[in-house]
Amino acid sequence: MSEQGDIDSITRSHLPVLRDEVLRLLAPRDGGVYVDVTLGRGGHAEAILEASAPGGRLIGIDRDETAIAEARARLARFGERVSFVHAPFSSLREELVSAGAPHVDGLVADLGVSSPQLDDAARGFSFKSEGPLDMRMDASRGETARELIASLDERELADVLFQYGEERKSRPIARSIKRAELDGRLETTLDLSRAIWRVTGPRRAGIDPATRSFQALRIVVNAELAELEALLASLPDVLADDGVAAIISFHSLEDRAVKHTLRDEPRLEVLGKKPIEASDDEARTNPRSRSAKLRGARRRPRANDAEVSS
Ligand SMILES: C[S@@+](CC[C@H](N)C(=O)[O-])C[C@H]1O[C@@H](n2cnc3c(N)ncnc32)[C@H](O)[C@@H]1O
């Protein structure tokens, strides 16, 4: 396929979740400065760059180098209005200072893994296709899922599955995984799926029973909750006065952290009483949007900081 063909298929195949709702919250304007801390294939970034033409600027951050390369190709037409940073969003503050934009008018975070990460069996995120037991978003550093499992005893593994996957059968599943490891049958994603299915049985209706355990391991491999806490803590510093953050989460652990931090931070004003969810239309056409919850918050002017802290 030609390079243009690749770009076309990227554009066609990726639907950014709650795109219009994010734009409504951020209200991008010409001359504004924006950051997308989960760039992925650049769907939200593209929408923000279009809406802030001709002079809006966007910094795109992702910890996955493959995502940065794909977004770079997709967003090439915006020239110098867009810049790219390969980093985790826990280092947002420093990255924005390095980019010469310590305060931004809008921030979007679309949490979790992307469809290309899930679809590429070699990344090890999918319980449906054979791949190495990896699950790292940043494939250049850190511990793989295989190494994580090896470092945990059965009880610790069960705790991970329960705490981060809300898996009620965490103990027998952990036992089955550890047994597979001992027997030398735990090298690939499907080995892991089979160890889970031996306890739960195969999928009958609804979500596959392996989903929860894969989610739990992925969250720990990528320190997703610690990353999210760091991002949320940095919001009052990185948002300009009246700047807006729009955060999309996909499971209750994430949404709880977002909801509580935004609510308890006096320098932020929560926008809307309830999280924004996908319309029936979007949920039909984009299955990923079904569990999405979008929450927004606005930075109160810094002149009032002394007031809110007293
Ligand atoms: C759901 S995708 C984003 C899709 C994007 N909004 C789009 O429209 O194409 C999430 C992306 O965020 C990245 N990501 C997740 N956690 C991250 C973190 N802590 N720091 C930086 N990037 C992260 C993932 O690597 C992935 O590419």
Side-chain angles (χ1 to χ4, degrees):
M1 197 187 270
S2 70
E3 190 184 19
Q4 188 53 50
D6 280 339
I7 295 167
D8 287 348
S9 71
I10 287 165
T11 310
R12 265 201 315 275
S13 67
H14 190 69
L15 301 166
V17 169
L18 295 168
R19 173 188 179 277
D20 293 346
E21 291 78 1
V22 167
L23 288 180
R24 256 198 297 280
L25 276 177
L26 298 189
R29 57 173 171 80
D30 181 14
V33 181
Y34 302 92
V35 63
D36 182 342
V37 299
T38 52
L39 184 64
R41 283 184 176 181
H44 288 106
E46 180 177 60
I48 292 167
L49 283 158
E50 280 169 355
S52 63
R57 182 177 169 206
L58 181 127
I59 299 143
I61 297 181
D62 205 293
R63 67 193 335 200
D64 180 346
E65 266 169 319
T66 314
I68 297 270
E70 288 191 0
R72 201 185 281 281
R74 178 178 185 162
L75 303 175
R77 68 190 161 99
F78 296 103
E80 302 212 325
R81 292 179 55 205
V82 56
S83 51
F84 302 90
V85 181
H86 175 225
F89 54 55
S90 51
S91 56
L92 180 62
R93 256 181 282 231
E94 303 88 88
E95 296 301 341
L96 288 180
V97 170
S98 306
H103 300 131
V104 295
D105 300 301
L107 173 151
V108 61
D110 172 16
L111 301 169
V113 276
S114 63
S115 325
Q117 287 168 335
L118 278 172
D119 294 346
D120 180 356
R123 303 296 300 271
F125 288 106
S126 170
F127 54 81
K128 285 191 245 168
S129 37
E130 189 78 294
L133 256 182
D134 191 322
M135 302 194 195
R136 289 170 302 164
M137 290 180 192
D138 182 348
S140 69
R141 70 194 74 189
E143 192 174 62
T144 65
R146 179 71 191 84
E147 289 161 348
L148 171 70
I149 292 170
S151 74
L152 302 173
D153 65 24
E154 188 181 308
R155 199 190 176 86
E156 291 166 335
L157 179 58
D159 288 347
V160 163
L161 303 184
F162 183 73
Q163 197 179 340
Y164 300 108
E166 294 172 337
E167 174 55 71
R168 280 181 292 126
K169 294 184 177 160
S170 57
R171 295 210 178 283
I173 291 177
R175 192 169 317 127
S176 174
I177 294 173
K178 280 304 212 183
R179 180 160 309 153
E181 183 182 43
L182 206 65
D183 297 346
R185 287 183 292 130
L186 190 72
E187 293 312 319
T188 69
T189 41
L190 285 186
D191 287 340
L192 177 61
S193 303
R194 281 188 285 265
I196 299 164
W197 293 330
R198 272 195 283 278
V199 175
T200 61
R203 172 180 176 169
R204 289 207 191 80
I207 67 159
D208 191 288
T211 311
R212 288 184 291 274
S213 297
F214 269 70
Q215 172 187 300
L217 292 167
R218 192 203 86 204
I219 288 175
V220 176
V221 164
N222 295 289
E224 289 180 37
L225 294 178
E227 279 287 314
L228 179 57
E229 295 290 350
L231 172 69
L232 293 168
S234 69
L235 291 179
D237 289 337
V238 302
L239 290 172
D241 286 3
D242 293 320
V244 170
I247 302 181
I248 308 171
S249 60
F250 291 88
H251 55 78
S252 53
L253 296 171
E254 282 173 351
D255 185 53
R256 212 173 298 147
V258 177
K259 178 179 165 183
H260 290 157
T261 310
L262 299 186
R263 188 193 59 195
D264 297 342
E265 172 50 76
R267 292 170 292 175
L268 298 175
E269 174 200 355
V270 174
L271 300 172
K273 281 204 164 57
K274 289 197 165 152
I276 299 167
E277 297 183 8
S279 64
D280 292 345
D281 258 6
E282 182 172 3
R284 244 192 316 277
T285 53
N286 186 359
R288 184 171 174 266
S289 71
R290 289 178 201 155
S291 48
K293 286 195 162 58
L294 166 62
R295 293 187 187 269
R298 188 191 313 279
R299 176 65 165 102
R300 295 183 199 276
R302 282 170 172 70
N304 302 336
D305 278 2
E307 221 170 273
V308 294
S309 67
S310 60

